[in-house]
Amino acid sequence: MKAAVLESYGSAEQFIIREASTPDIKEGQILIRNEASSVNPVDTIIRSGAMKLASGLFGDQIIGSDFSGTVIATKSDKFNIGDEVFGHVSPVKGGAYAEYLAVDEDIAAIKPKNISFEEAGSLSLVATTAWQGLVDHGQIEAGDEVLINGCTGGVGSIAVQVAKSWGAIVTGMCSTEHVQTARDLGCDEVIDYKTQSIPATKRYDLIFDASGKFSFDDIKDHLTEEAYYVTTRPEIKDVSTAIDVIFRKQVRPFMAKPNGNDLEKIKMLVEDGHLKPYVAEAFPLENITQAHQKLEEGHFVGKVAVTI
């Protein structure tokens, strides 16, 4: 099979397109002819070697998380040959930058019928992150006032739409050039972080930091008494962060986990018209280096997709 192989950790130039072995499947797994994937920030971290104790110390690596394609072999009672599916594997496991991918049945779902493989291949990780962050960790409820930082990024653009589907009142934070996009996504209010701050007296029922840039000290005065601060920055980099995580019940850092049941809910939102994935640009697998460079340059809305 064709794959983007990372011969050594480092820059985006380390990828080489070459033939690799098609994976075998075990009981409870499906083999997918992968049509599309995407580039997520965690993929660039894996590529850099910062997590090689988990992703592998030696040998060539096929990384990538998101997948969308057609089932061509199955040892699952849940899926049949010919089913169009989407999902994501654990980033440290990887394998999605390839023509074929073996996945466990409980991390995949039937692809929404009203979007393309390319759109579905950019959706799973960010949508699962948004869903788990808002629903499981943030305990969002109808009528909540929610602040979403990074509201036009990959996770943030989905989080805005998920929050609105729950009946929340959403304030988004983004840069000047994306203010109109934030409004188009559904934000009721928009804060341009380059020129504005959160109003001093404003309190929110939930703050979701989809860009992982805030600390608890930055936003603690903007939380109601029962509110949660949910962040996609799960790592503990300093003593202050460790104290926040251990002793402050309002602080909920997390990393999304692949979950087929969550994908079923996301699929319904997409098919009902409440959720639309945004693809900023798509690159063929042969141009995976440029796709990673595009992500690292930033300044776009939504996701960078990879067609296979």
Side-chain angles (χ1 to χ4, degrees), residues 10-26:
S11 68
E13 287 81 7
Q14 302 301 319
F15 288 109
I16 289 185
I17 306 300
R18 72 178 196 210
E19 288 296 310
S21 299
T22 300
D24 296 321
I25 57 172
K26 298 179 285 192

Side-chain angles (χ1 to χ4, degrees), residues 139-169:
Q139 298 182 15
I140 192 171
E141 295 181 356
D144 278 353
E145 291 208 41
V146 178
L147 173 67
I148 298 174
N149 186 35
C151 67
T152 58
V155 173
S157 60
I158 301 298
V160 170
Q161 298 175 77
V162 170
K164 292 300 296 181
S165 76
W166 277 76
I169 301 163

Side-chain angles (χ1 to χ4, degrees), residues 138-277:
Q139 298 182 15
I140 192 171
E141 295 181 356
D144 278 353
E145 291 208 41
V146 178
L147 173 67
I148 298 174
N149 186 35
C151 67
T152 58
V155 173
S157 60
I158 301 298
V160 170
Q161 298 175 77
V162 170
K164 292 300 296 181
S165 76
W166 277 76
I169 301 163
V170 178
T171 298
M173 288 192 76
C174 62
S175 60
T176 308
E177 58 269 29
H178 294 151
V179 167
Q180 185 56 52
T181 299
R183 294 194 178 105
D184 293 342
L185 284 167
C187 290
D188 299 284
E189 301 287 342
V190 182
I191 296 173
D192 175 356
Y193 69 77
K194 290 186 175 180
T195 61
Q196 299 171 291
S197 300
I198 303 172
T201 59
K202 185 65 180 178
R203 302 290 183 272
Y204 296 95
D205 302 300
L206 168 60
I207 294 180
F208 181 39
D209 187 5
S211 63
K213 298 293 179 64
F214 283 146
S215 69
F216 182 69
D217 283 342
D218 293 330
I219 49 77
K220 63 183 179 182
D221 294 333
H222 300 290
L223 293 166
T224 62
E225 188 173 340
E226 301 298 323
Y228 291 113
Y229 161 54
V230 179
T231 174
T232 57
R233 186 180 63 182
E235 69 271 20
I236 296 174
K237 293 182 177 179
D238 50 45
V239 173
S240 175
T241 305
I243 290 172
D244 289 342
V245 171
I246 295 170
F247 295 106
R248 301 185 192 278
K249 293 181 180 180
Q250 287 182 293
V251 179
R252 297 195 168 187
F254 81 106
M255 180 177 287
K257 298 178 181 179
N259 187 305
N261 291 330
D262 288 345
L263 290 179
E264 293 287 350
K265 298 163 189 171
I266 291 160
K267 172 181 178 289
M268 291 176 61
L269 288 180
V270 174
E271 292 184 341
D272 289 344
H274 296 299
L275 180 59
K276 174 180 172 55

